[in-house]
Amino acid sequence: MNELEAKQLVQEKLPEKRFAHSLRVAETAVLMARLFKADEKKCHIAGLLHDYCKYDDLNDMHEIVKENSLDDELQLYTSAILHGPIAAFLMEKEFNIHDEEILLAIKNHTSGRADMNLVEKIIFVADYIEPARTTPGVEDIRDIVYNDHDLERAVFEITRRNICYLAEQGVKIYSETFKCYNYYN
């Protein structure tokens, strides 16, 4: 799938606001790819496609997990976690994307994981820092990326903040997020 096809695919499926977010993530990912010497095309495509399943029916996502022997732990979560792994699965199965870096970036953009590849780290961070994000402390993360050029520290800080936020909300935290935190700590 080329970049134009990826853009058309998400534009047809996502609401306008989420499509605009996907465009910003893709643009941010390309800027970061230049900064960290990653493949710009892979980052652009992964950024465009990362939220492809964001609004899919939760029961349908759970059924995909069950029918295709995906990580059983995913059955415990809502779309907030599921949309990445399901999108990666569908990109490979239905859209013939077989590039492991792109698929892993889509799959793990919300949870992170230990020892992410460069494209994964870029999409994980780009999703958090794209220009329209106003999460408290996002400027600190942007500073770590653009001024300190420390992608691994950015991954750690985002993961730490996500865990703290989820714990404060009393929400179940996916095990891959803890693995990501421990690996980058």
Side-chain angles (χ1 to χ4, degrees):
M1 176 177 300
N2 66 38
E3 294 161 288
L4 181 58
E5 291 168 331
K7 182 178 177 181
Q8 289 172 338
L9 187 66
V10 294
Q11 187 171 22
E12 290 170 6
K13 183 171 182 179
L14 296 178
E16 187 176 323
K17 188 174 179 179
R18 183 56 52 171
F19 173 64
H21 163 73
S22 294
L23 291 177
R24 289 189 303 270
V25 170
E27 291 166 6
T28 302
V30 169
L31 291 173
M32 291 177 64
R34 291 179 188 143
L35 184 63
F36 295 104
K37 311 279 190 273
D39 186 305
E40 292 179 31
K41 182 178 178 183
K42 289 181 183 187
C43 289
H44 192 237
I45 290 172
L48 288 168
L49 297 173
H50 79 285
D51 274 349
Y52 181 75
C53 292
K54 181 80 173 176
Y55 301 106
D56 285 10
D57 180 77
L58 184 59
N59 291 326
D60 291 345
M61 287 194 274
H62 282 142
E63 196 62 32
I64 289 170
V65 169
K66 184 178 173 184
E67 288 177 359
N68 296 283
S69 302
L70 303 180
D71 181 2
D72 284 338
E73 184 185 354
L74 292 171
Q75 293 287 8
L76 303 173
Y77 297 94
T78 64
S79 176
I81 291 294
L82 280 174
H83 75 275
I86 298 301
F89 173 79
L90 293 177
M91 288 302 133
E92 184 171 24
K93 183 176 179 185
E94 295 182 5
F95 298 102
N96 292 316
I97 294 177
H98 299 290
D99 185 290
E100 185 177 20
E101 290 179 299
I102 292 172
L103 293 173
L104 286 171
I106 294 168
K107 178 181 178 181
N108 298 305
H109 78 273
T110 60
S111 63
R113 71 177 180 103
D115 198 19
M116 288 191 282
N117 69 56
L118 184 56
V119 176
E120 275 180 287
K121 288 185 276 192
I122 287 172
I123 299 305
F124 181 80
V125 174
D127 187 35
Y128 194 88
I129 68 169
E130 63 96 335
R133 293 287 199 196
T134 58
T135 307
V138 71
E139 287 301 328
D140 296 336
I141 305 299
R142 289 180 181 131
D143 187 54
I144 291 168
V145 171
Y146 297 122
N147 294 325
D148 297 344
H149 301 169
D150 193 341
L151 187 56
E152 295 208 350
R153 192 167 114 226
V155 168
F156 170 73
E157 278 300 319
I158 291 167
T159 306
R160 185 184 66 75
R161 290 166 191 224
N162 286 345
I163 288 172
C164 289
Y165 174 78
L166 293 169
E168 287 172 7
Q169 301 301 309
V171 175
K172 183 181 293 286
I173 301 171
Y174 187 38
S175 64
E176 290 299 320
T177 303
F178 286 117
K179 291 174 186 175
C180 183
Y181 173 84
N182 288 331
Y183 182 87
Y184 290 99
N185 187 357

